[in-house]
Protein backbone atom coordinates (compact mmCIF):
# COMPACT_ATOMS: atom_id res chain seq x y z
CA UNK A 1 0.00 0.00 0.00
CA UNK A 2 1.34 3.43 -0.93
CA UNK A 3 2.02 5.77 2.02
CA UNK A 4 -0.04 9.00 1.67
CA UNK A 5 2.03 12.17 1.29
CA UNK A 6 2.13 14.91 3.95
CA UNK A 7 -0.41 17.15 2.17
CA UNK A 8 -2.92 14.30 1.89
CA UNK A 9 -2.40 13.36 5.52
CA UNK A 10 -2.90 16.96 6.67
CA UNK A 11 -6.03 17.32 4.52
CA UNK A 12 -7.46 14.11 5.92
CA UNK A 13 -6.62 15.17 9.47
CA UNK A 14 -8.32 18.53 8.90
CA UNK A 15 -11.45 16.80 7.50
CA UNK A 16 -11.46 14.46 10.49
CA UNK A 17 -11.22 17.36 12.96
CA UNK A 18 -13.99 19.24 11.13
CA UNK A 19 -16.13 16.10 11.29
CA UNK A 20 -15.61 15.93 15.06
CA UNK A 21 -16.53 19.61 15.39
CA UNK A 22 -19.56 19.09 13.13
CA UNK A 23 -21.01 16.57 15.53
CA UNK A 24 -20.37 18.58 18.65
CA UNK A 25 -16.89 17.66 19.90
CA UNK A 26 -14.68 20.44 21.19
CA UNK A 27 -11.81 18.20 22.38
CA UNK A 28 -10.03 15.15 21.02
CA UNK A 29 -9.62 12.23 23.35
CA UNK A 30 -5.97 11.38 22.79
CA UNK A 31 -4.19 8.40 24.30
CA UNK A 32 -0.44 8.22 24.77
CA UNK A 33 0.56 4.63 25.41
CA UNK A 34 3.90 3.65 26.85
CA UNK A 35 6.75 2.71 24.59
CA UNK A 36 6.75 -0.78 26.07
CA UNK A 37 3.11 -1.26 25.12
CA UNK A 38 3.06 0.18 21.61
CA UNK A 39 6.66 0.47 20.50
CA UNK A 40 6.13 4.21 20.02
CA UNK A 41 5.78 7.37 22.10
CA UNK A 42 3.54 8.92 19.47
CA UNK A 43 0.04 9.75 20.72
CA UNK A 44 -2.68 7.63 19.15
CA UNK A 45 -5.94 9.21 18.05
CA UNK A 46 -8.88 6.85 18.47
CA UNK A 47 -11.01 6.15 15.42
CA UNK A 48 -14.28 8.14 15.01
CA UNK A 49 -16.26 4.99 15.75
CA UNK A 50 -14.67 4.64 19.18
CA UNK A 51 -15.04 8.24 20.29
CA UNK A 52 -18.51 8.86 18.83
CA UNK A 53 -19.95 6.52 21.41
CA UNK A 54 -21.07 9.29 23.76
CA UNK A 55 -24.50 10.68 22.98
CA UNK A 56 -26.97 8.94 20.72
CA UNK A 57 -27.77 12.09 18.77
CA UNK A 58 -24.07 12.87 18.22
CA UNK A 59 -23.53 9.32 17.04
CA UNK A 60 -26.46 9.50 14.62
CA UNK A 61 -25.25 12.86 13.34
CA UNK A 62 -21.78 11.42 12.83
CA UNK A 63 -23.31 8.58 10.83
CA UNK A 64 -25.08 11.13 8.59
CA UNK A 65 -21.76 12.95 8.10
CA UNK A 66 -20.00 9.71 7.28
CA UNK A 67 -22.69 8.79 4.77
CA UNK A 68 -22.28 12.20 3.12
CA UNK A 69 -18.56 11.45 2.79
CA UNK A 70 -16.55 13.45 0.27
CA UNK A 71 -19.80 14.11 -1.56
CA UNK A 72 -19.99 14.61 -5.32
CA UNK A 73 -23.76 14.10 -5.62
CA UNK A 74 -24.18 17.50 -7.30
CA UNK A 75 -22.03 19.96 -9.24
CA UNK A 76 -21.47 22.22 -6.22
CA UNK A 77 -18.76 19.74 -5.23
CA UNK A 78 -16.62 21.02 -8.11
CA UNK A 79 -15.94 24.49 -6.72
CA UNK A 80 -16.00 23.94 -2.97
CA UNK A 81 -13.02 23.99 -0.63
CA UNK A 82 -14.85 22.34 2.24
CA UNK A 83 -18.18 20.68 2.88
CA UNK A 84 -20.01 22.78 5.46
CA UNK A 85 -22.02 20.15 7.25
CA UNK A 86 -23.19 22.13 10.29
CA UNK A 87 -22.05 23.03 13.79
CA UNK A 88 -23.37 23.35 17.29
CA UNK A 89 -24.89 21.02 19.83
CA UNK A 90 -26.44 17.77 18.51
CA UNK A 91 -28.69 17.84 21.62
CA UNK A 92 -30.02 21.35 20.86
CA UNK A 93 -33.74 22.08 20.89
CA UNK A 94 -33.26 24.79 18.28
CA UNK A 95 -31.88 24.43 14.74
CA UNK A 96 -31.28 27.32 12.35
CA UNK A 97 -31.25 26.49 8.65
CA UNK A 98 -29.72 28.88 6.12
CA UNK A 99 -29.44 28.67 2.38
CA UNK A 100 -25.84 27.68 1.70
CA UNK A 101 -22.24 28.44 2.67
CA UNK A 102 -20.57 31.69 1.58
CA UNK A 103 -16.86 32.32 0.99
CA UNK A 104 -15.87 32.46 4.68
CA UNK A 105 -17.85 29.33 5.47
CA UNK A 106 -16.35 27.47 2.50
CA UNK A 107 -12.89 28.49 3.65
CA UNK A 108 -13.38 27.36 7.24
CA UNK A 109 -15.79 24.45 6.72
CA UNK A 110 -18.18 25.97 9.27
CA UNK A 111 -21.59 27.60 8.84
CA UNK A 112 -22.35 31.27 9.54
CA UNK A 113 -18.86 32.48 10.39
CA UNK A 114 -18.81 35.63 8.21
CA UNK A 115 -20.61 38.94 8.79
CA UNK A 116 -24.05 37.35 8.58
CA UNK A 117 -22.83 34.70 11.02
CA UNK A 118 -21.79 37.38 13.50
CA UNK A 119 -25.22 38.93 13.19
CA UNK A 120 -26.84 35.54 13.77
CA UNK A 121 -24.67 35.02 16.86
CA UNK A 122 -25.79 38.44 18.11
CA UNK A 123 -29.45 37.52 17.57
CA UNK A 124 -28.96 34.24 19.47
CA UNK A 125 -26.81 35.53 22.30
CA UNK A 126 -27.96 39.12 22.85
CA UNK A 127 -31.49 38.90 21.45
CA UNK A 128 -32.46 35.46 22.78
CA UNK A 129 -30.05 35.16 25.71
CA UNK A 130 -28.95 31.70 24.48
CA UNK A 131 -25.48 30.29 23.84
CA UNK A 132 -24.85 29.63 20.15
CA UNK A 133 -22.66 26.56 20.68
CA UNK A 134 -24.60 25.02 23.56
CA UNK A 135 -28.19 25.85 22.72
CA UNK A 136 -28.37 25.68 18.93
CA UNK A 137 -27.29 23.71 15.91
CA UNK A 138 -26.78 25.57 12.63
CA UNK A 139 -26.69 24.18 9.11
CA UNK A 140 -27.72 24.96 5.55
CA UNK A 141 -29.96 23.61 2.80
CA UNK A 142 -26.91 22.83 0.64
CA UNK A 143 -23.58 21.91 2.21
CA UNK A 144 -21.31 23.30 -0.52
CA UNK A 145 -20.86 26.90 -1.63
CA UNK A 146 -22.81 27.90 -4.73
CA UNK A 147 -20.39 29.82 -7.01
CA UNK A 148 -20.62 33.60 -6.65
CA UNK A 149 -23.12 33.08 -3.83
CA UNK A 150 -25.92 32.40 -6.31
CA UNK A 151 -29.06 30.66 -5.08
CA UNK A 152 -28.78 26.86 -5.06
CA UNK A 153 -30.42 25.22 -8.09
CA UNK A 154 -33.25 22.73 -7.83
CA UNK A 155 -31.17 19.62 -8.56
CA UNK A 156 -28.55 20.73 -6.01
CA UNK A 157 -31.25 21.17 -3.38
CA UNK A 158 -32.79 17.80 -4.25
CA UNK A 159 -29.37 16.09 -4.02
CA UNK A 160 -28.55 17.61 -0.63
CA UNK A 161 -31.98 17.69 1.02
CA UNK A 162 -31.97 14.06 2.29
CA UNK A 163 -28.96 14.95 4.43
CA UNK A 164 -30.72 17.96 5.96
CA UNK A 165 -33.70 15.77 6.81
CA UNK A 166 -31.40 13.14 8.33
CA UNK A 167 -29.60 15.83 10.35
CA UNK A 168 -32.92 17.05 11.76
CA UNK A 169 -34.06 13.49 12.48
CA UNK A 170 -30.82 12.86 14.38
CA UNK A 171 -31.07 16.07 16.42
CA UNK A 172 -34.87 16.04 16.90
CA UNK A 173 -35.13 19.76 17.74
CA UNK A 174 -38.29 21.30 19.16
CA UNK A 175 -38.06 24.18 16.70
CA UNK A 176 -36.44 24.73 13.30
CA UNK A 177 -35.95 28.30 12.07
CA UNK A 178 -35.62 28.96 8.34
CA UNK A 179 -33.38 31.96 7.71
CA UNK A 180 -34.54 33.93 4.68
CA UNK A 181 -36.59 33.34 1.58
CA UNK A 182 -34.52 30.59 -0.15
CA UNK A 183 -34.40 28.44 3.00
CA UNK A 184 -38.09 29.01 3.73
CA UNK A 185 -39.08 28.36 0.11
CA UNK A 186 -37.01 25.17 -0.06
CA UNK A 187 -38.36 23.77 3.19
CA UNK A 188 -41.97 24.57 2.31
CA UNK A 189 -41.68 23.59 -1.37
CA UNK A 190 -43.15 26.85 -2.69
CA UNK A 191 -42.08 30.43 -3.23
CA UNK A 192 -42.39 32.12 0.16
CA UNK A 193 -42.78 35.91 0.33
CA UNK A 194 -40.60 36.10 3.42
CA UNK A 195 -41.40 39.65 4.48
CA UNK A 196 -45.10 38.72 4.53
CA UNK A 197 -44.82 35.22 6.00
CA UNK A 198 -42.03 35.72 8.52
CA UNK A 199 -43.17 35.16 12.06
CA UNK A 200 -45.53 32.34 11.08
CA UNK A 201 -45.40 28.68 12.13
CA UNK A 202 -45.33 25.81 9.65
CA UNK A 203 -44.67 22.10 9.57
CA UNK A 204 -41.54 20.61 8.00
CA UNK A 205 -41.19 16.83 8.12
CA UNK A 206 -43.02 16.86 11.47
CA UNK A 207 -40.88 19.66 12.94
CA UNK A 208 -42.25 23.06 14.03
CA UNK A 209 -40.85 25.55 11.57
CA UNK A 210 -40.60 29.31 12.10
CA UNK A 211 -39.77 31.63 9.21
CA UNK A 212 -37.67 34.73 9.72
CA UNK A 213 -35.45 37.15 7.82
CA UNK A 214 -31.89 36.12 6.91
CA UNK A 215 -29.22 37.93 8.97
CA UNK A 216 -27.53 39.03 5.72
CA UNK A 217 -30.80 40.73 4.69
CA UNK A 218 -30.92 42.36 8.09
CA UNK A 219 -27.40 43.73 7.52
CA UNK A 220 -28.40 45.07 4.10
CA UNK A 221 -31.68 46.56 5.29
CA UNK A 222 -30.80 47.49 8.86
CA UNK A 223 -34.05 49.22 9.71
CA UNK A 224 -35.84 49.43 13.04
CA UNK A 225 -38.77 47.65 11.43
CA UNK A 226 -36.68 44.65 10.29
CA UNK A 227 -34.83 44.35 13.60
CA UNK A 228 -38.13 44.47 15.46
CA UNK A 229 -39.54 41.81 13.13
CA UNK A 230 -36.71 39.35 13.85
CA UNK A 231 -36.96 40.14 17.56
CA UNK A 232 -40.69 39.33 17.50
CA UNK A 233 -40.04 36.06 15.59
CA UNK A 234 -37.40 34.95 18.08
CA UNK A 235 -39.73 35.79 20.99
CA UNK A 236 -42.21 33.30 19.51
CA UNK A 237 -39.43 30.70 19.21
CA UNK A 238 -38.40 31.20 22.84
CA UNK A 239 -42.02 30.84 23.96
CA UNK A 240 -42.30 27.57 22.03
CA UNK A 241 -39.07 26.37 23.66
CA UNK A 242 -40.52 27.24 27.08
CA UNK A 243 -37.81 29.86 27.77
S1 LIG B 1 -24.18 20.45 -2.04
FE1 LIG B 1 -24.74 18.59 -0.93
S2 LIG B 1 -25.24 17.10 -2.52
FE2 LIG B 1 -24.10 18.73 -3.51
S3 LIG B 1 -21.96 18.04 -3.46
FE3 LIG B 1 -22.28 19.31 -1.64
S4 LIG B 1 -22.81 17.89 -0.02
FE4 LIG B 1 -23.09 16.81 -1.98
Amino acid sequence: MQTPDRTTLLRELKNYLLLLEDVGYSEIPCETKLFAETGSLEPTIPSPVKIMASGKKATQLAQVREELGDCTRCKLSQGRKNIVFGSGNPQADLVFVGEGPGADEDEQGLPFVGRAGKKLTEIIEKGMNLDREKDTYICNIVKCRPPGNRDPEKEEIVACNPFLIQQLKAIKPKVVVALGKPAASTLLGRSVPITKERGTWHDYEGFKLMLTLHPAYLLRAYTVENRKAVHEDMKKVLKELGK
Side-chain angles (χ1 to χ4, degrees):
M1 199 175 105
Q2 204 183 349
T3 310
D5 60 31
R6 192 168 175 270
T7 311
T8 307
L9 276 173
L10 285 173
R11 192 179 57 239
E12 285 179 2
L13 178 62
K14 184 183 167 195
N15 288 340
Y16 175 69
L17 294 173
L18 285 170
L19 186 148
L20 294 184
E21 191 168 57
D22 284 348
V23 298
Y25 282 86
S26 55
E27 296 174 359
I28 306 171
C30 195
E31 301 162 5
T32 306
K33 292 191 177 168
L34 292 175
F35 181 83
E37 238 183 292
T38 64
S40 165
L41 282 174
E42 291 298 309
T44 57
I45 299 174
S47 73
V49 177
K50 276 193 230 159
I51 70 166
M52 293 299 166
S54 67
K56 194 173 161 212
K57 292 182 178 185
T59 307
Q60 285 176 353
L61 206 51
Q63 283 164 354
V64 180
R65 180 64 188 88
E66 278 193 42
E67 195 188 326
L68 187 66
D70 194 18
C71 185
T72 54
R73 291 171 180 83
C74 82
K75 63 178 180 298
L76 292 183
S77 62
Q78 293 161 13
R80 71 161 182 246
K81 286 187 181 160
N82 287 295
I83 290 179
V84 181
F85 183 67
S87 75
N89 185 355
Q91 320 281 342
D93 285 336
L94 176 59
V95 172
F96 288 95
V97 180
E99 174 188 351
D104 294 323
E105 289 76 18
D106 182 43
E107 195 66 48
Q108 296 185 39
L110 291 167
F112 284 90
V113 288
R115 276 186 75 223
K118 287 198 180 95
K119 178 49 72 184
L120 179 60
T121 305
E122 192 184 305
I123 291 166
I124 294 168
E125 304 208 334
K126 290 196 183 144
M128 304 177 81
N129 204 22
L130 298 176
D131 185 290
R132 173 172 162 160
E133 288 307 314
K134 281 195 200 135
D135 298 320
T136 74
Y137 187 87
I138 302 174
C139 56
N140 285 299
I141 300 276
V142 290
K143 316 294 185 211
C144 303
R145 184 191 180 203
N149 291 347
R150 65 160 168 76
D151 288 350
E153 292 171 3
K154 194 168 176 201
E155 65 261 30
E156 295 158 358
I157 292 167
V158 168
C160 218
N161 194 243
F163 294 96
L164 174 65
I165 295 173
Q166 286 184 56
Q167 279 178 301
L168 294 177
K169 287 189 173 165
I171 298 166
K172 295 185 183 64
K174 288 184 184 157
V175 173
V176 177
V177 176
L179 296 166
K181 180 184 169 79
S185 301
T186 302
L187 296 181
L188 292 181
R190 63 181 169 82
S191 178
V192 173
I194 193 70
T195 48
K196 286 207 181 94
E197 288 201 39
R198 53 135 286 271
T200 56
W201 288 108
H202 300 264
D203 175 83
Y204 176 69
E205 298 282 330
F207 295 102
K208 287 212 83 168
L209 176 69
M210 166 60 66
L211 313 183
T212 196
L213 304 176
H214 195 285
Y217 176 81
L218 208 53
L219 287 171
R220 282 198 306 274
Y222 201 62
T223 63
V224 174
E225 193 189 12
N226 286 340
R227 277 181 279 164
K228 202 171 154 205
V230 173
H231 182 67
E232 290 302 320
D233 301 347
M234 294 307 105
K235 260 170 58 183
K236 289 180 186 172
V237 168
L238 286 171
K239 192 171 173 207
E240 186 63 31
L241 293 173
K243 306 236 181 207

